[in-house]
Amino acid sequence: MLNSLFINQQDQKEALAIERRRRFEESRKQRIFNARRRLIGVDTDALGYQVQEKHETEQSQAEQQRKFAEETRRQEQVLLLKQHEQRQERIRQENELNRFRSLHQKPEQSRDFDLFDPDGLKKSLPARLGDDDPRLTVSGAQKFDGEDLEERYRRKVQMEQQRSWLEQQIREKRQAEIDRRAAEKYLEDSLMSREHRLHQLTAQERYAREKIHEAVNEFNRRLMHEQEQQRARREREEQEDNLAEIYNNLTSDILTENPDAAKSSFGPNRVITAQYKGMSPEEIEQIRRTQELQLEELKRKRQNEANTKQAWDQLANDFDRTVTMKERELNRRRHALAEQIRHENHLQAMEQQRKLEHLDKVVYQNRPTQAYFDQFNTCSR
């Protein structure tokens, strides 16, 4: 019973909130969908000028971004061209190096090629071709000291052979040094030509930038000159207008205070407000009496409003006091109802406990045996 009362209160609160949101949405629709109220106070010309100015700003930014993109693309193209030239130069140098190695650094031209020659055994001679064979050594036991009759000639031939080998090695080293210097000079010349080309490209780029900068400065100078001329013309026109206005005001009926200028052709009691110079003492006295009457009427209205407000305040206090008393009475009833529900729930819990004990001790004593489970699944039905 307490839960139902709480649910009803929640439903009432939600219904009030939904109704409040609905009224707020209806009032908001009236404000938004009213074309007259929505357009009052909006300066369409200023908004249009702002939109145009924003559009021009976006166009200038887009143009600047386009120029930056073009400059970046041009720089990337130059960089790719330089990288391609460097790659081609590196490939050419590698090809020259491989060609030099294939022509002047063959394996069979090395000094120790006889140690790694795969056809060395095929090219080798027998152990002894004769008594004058220079390959006969002491360890071969093919020829002894007493049998060597050409030792002096053999030693001379060996010395000449060593001398020829040394001269050949010196010539090869000199030729290799000459080739190395030539390769270094060629590489240095190629690097110098590439650096010269790079300086030329940099100078061209700097010249183009200077031309663009000069054109922009010239455009800005012309624009500033035009703006100065327009500002001077506007100031001259404004000065002429001010002088004309001062002359017209000095010679007008307002400053000369001509009383006849305020008379109207529509009647004797009608005046021209733009040329009116003031009221007479009788008119001022009449206005003062009227103001005193209005002041007394305002005091009476304020006194009536104060009395009405006091009556409404008394009525509101009485209503608040009545609502407070009703709310206290409702709280007392809620507490009594909650206590009654709590007592009833306690009695129901005790009754349910007794029922469960009765079921456990009396009703559920007939437990099924194994024979009860064995009777199932004994046939096809």
Side-chain angles (χ1 to χ4, degrees):
M1 187 173 183
L2 182 60
N3 293 332
S4 64
L5 181 60
F6 181 75
I7 292 172
N8 291 331
Q9 291 179 355
Q10 289 294 114
D11 293 339
Q12 291 177 2
K13 290 182 180 180
E14 292 180 359
L16 290 175
I18 292 171
E19 181 65 21
R20 184 168 60 256
R21 287 195 297 270
R22 187 184 64 78
R23 289 198 301 270
F24 178 76
E25 183 66 20
E26 290 295 332
S27 64
R28 187 171 181 270
K29 287 181 180 179
Q30 292 178 2
R31 291 195 307 271
I32 294 176
F33 295 150
N34 190 349
R36 182 176 179 80
R37 293 181 63 186
R38 189 173 65 248
L39 293 178
I40 289 177
V42 177
D43 190 357
T44 56
D45 296 336
L47 293 177
Y49 178 75
Q50 291 177 1
V51 172
Q52 182 179 3
E53 185 178 0
K54 183 178 180 181
H55 182 64
E56 292 176 357
T57 304
E58 292 178 353
Q59 287 183 350
S60 63
Q61 291 179 357
E63 182 66 20
Q64 187 177 5
Q65 292 293 334
R66 185 184 63 80
K67 291 181 179 180
F68 286 163
E70 291 180 355
E71 183 65 20
T72 304
R73 186 161 52 254
R74 190 181 65 80
Q75 294 290 342
E76 291 178 353
Q77 291 178 357
V78 173
L79 182 60
L80 291 175
L81 180 61
K82 293 180 180 179
Q83 291 179 354
H84 180 70
E85 291 178 356
Q86 292 178 358
R87 192 181 302 110
Q88 294 296 328
E89 181 64 23
R90 187 168 57 253
I91 292 173
R92 191 190 61 78
Q93 292 177 2
E94 292 177 355
N95 293 332
E96 288 292 332
L97 181 60
N98 293 329
R99 185 180 63 82
F100 178 78
R101 288 175 177 175
S102 62
L103 294 177
H104 303 286
Q105 294 182 354
K106 296 180 179 180
E108 57 270 14
Q109 293 178 353
S110 63
R111 183 179 60 184
D112 301 332
F113 178 71
D114 56 339
L115 300 176
F116 310 99
D117 189 2
D119 298 332
L121 296 176
K122 296 180 181 179
K123 298 177 181 179
S124 63
L125 298 175
R128 181 170 182 176
L129 296 177
D131 293 338
D132 56 351
D133 193 350
R135 295 180 298 109
L136 297 178
T137 60
V138 178
S139 61
Q142 297 293 326
K143 185 177 180 181
F144 299 96
D145 293 337
E147 298 178 358
D148 190 5
L149 302 179
E150 298 178 355
E151 179 180 2
R152 183 178 301 174
Y153 176 74
R154 178 175 55 79
R155 291 182 181 276
K156 182 179 180 181
V157 171
Q158 289 178 355
M159 292 176 65
E160 292 178 356
Q161 188 177 7
Q162 290 178 358
R163 188 182 300 107
S164 63
W165 286 351
L166 291 174
E167 291 176 355
Q168 183 180 0
Q169 291 177 3
I170 291 171
R171 287 195 302 271
E172 290 177 356
K173 288 183 179 180
R174 289 178 179 176
Q175 186 64 31
E177 183 67 20
I178 293 172
D179 295 337
R180 184 183 64 78
R181 291 181 180 177
E184 290 179 354
K185 186 176 183 306
Y186 181 78
L187 179 60
E188 184 178 359
D189 294 339
S190 62
L191 292 175
M192 290 297 293
S193 62
R194 186 165 62 252
E195 290 292 334
H196 181 67
R197 178 61 178 170
L198 181 60
H199 287 310
Q200 288 180 351
L201 294 175
T202 305
Q204 292 176 1
E205 182 179 1
R206 188 182 302 107
Y207 178 75
R209 288 183 178 178
E210 290 177 356
K211 287 296 183 182
I212 293 172
H213 187 66
E214 290 177 358
V216 172
N217 292 334
E218 182 64 24
F219 176 76
N220 291 332
R221 284 194 296 271
R222 291 180 181 177
L223 182 61
M224 184 175 64
H225 182 66
E226 292 178 359
Q227 290 178 355
E228 290 291 337
Q229 290 180 351
Q230 292 178 0
R231 183 162 54 253
R233 186 174 64 255
R234 286 197 299 268
E235 291 178 356
R236 186 171 60 255
E237 293 176 354
E238 185 177 359
Q239 186 176 6
E240 293 176 356
D241 294 339
N242 292 334
L243 292 175
E245 184 178 0
I246 292 171
Y247 177 77
N248 293 330
N249 289 329
L250 291 175
T251 59
S252 63
D253 294 333
I254 295 176
L255 295 180
T256 58
E257 297 184 356
N258 185 8
D260 297 334
K263 294 181 180 180
S264 177
S265 60
F266 293 99
N269 296 327
R270 304 288 294 275
V271 296
I272 300 174
T273 58
Q275 300 178 0
Y276 186 62
K277 293 300 178 180
M279 296 183 294
S280 62
E282 292 79 7
E283 292 176 346
I284 294 174
E285 184 64 25
Q286 181 66 27
I287 291 173
R288 186 178 294 110
R289 288 195 298 270
T290 304
Q291 289 178 349
E292 291 177 355
L293 294 175
Q294 291 177 353
L295 183 60
E296 293 177 358
E297 182 67 22
L298 180 61
K299 289 181 180 179
R300 287 195 298 273
K301 286 183 180 180
R302 288 181 178 177
Q303 184 64 32
N304 293 332
E305 290 177 357
N307 296 332
T308 305
K309 182 178 180 182
Q310 185 177 2
W312 277 107
D313 292 340
Q314 184 65 30
L315 180 61
N317 293 330
D318 296 340
F319 181 74
D320 292 338
R321 188 164 45 254
T322 304
V323 170
T324 303
M325 295 175 64
K326 291 291 184 182
E327 186 175 0
R328 290 178 181 176
E329 182 65 25
L330 183 60
N331 290 332
R332 285 195 296 271
R333 291 182 181 180
R334 288 177 181 172
H335 289 308
L337 182 60
E339 185 64 28
Q340 183 180 357
I341 291 172
R342 200 161 36 246
H343 181 67
E344 291 179 358
N345 290 336
H346 181 66
L347 295 177
Q348 290 179 1
M350 294 176 63
E351 182 66 24
Q352 187 176 7
Q353 184 66 26
R354 287 195 298 271
K355 287 182 180 180
L356 292 175
E357 291 178 356
H358 176 72
L359 290 174
D360 292 337
K361 295 179 180 180
V362 179
V363 179
Y364 297 148
Q365 292 300 319
N366 188 13
R367 303 291 182 182
T369 61
Q370 186 64 31
Y372 173 76
F373 295 103
D374 293 340
Q375 67 180 342
F376 297 103
N377 200 18
T378 58
C379 62
S380 61
R381 295 290 181 179

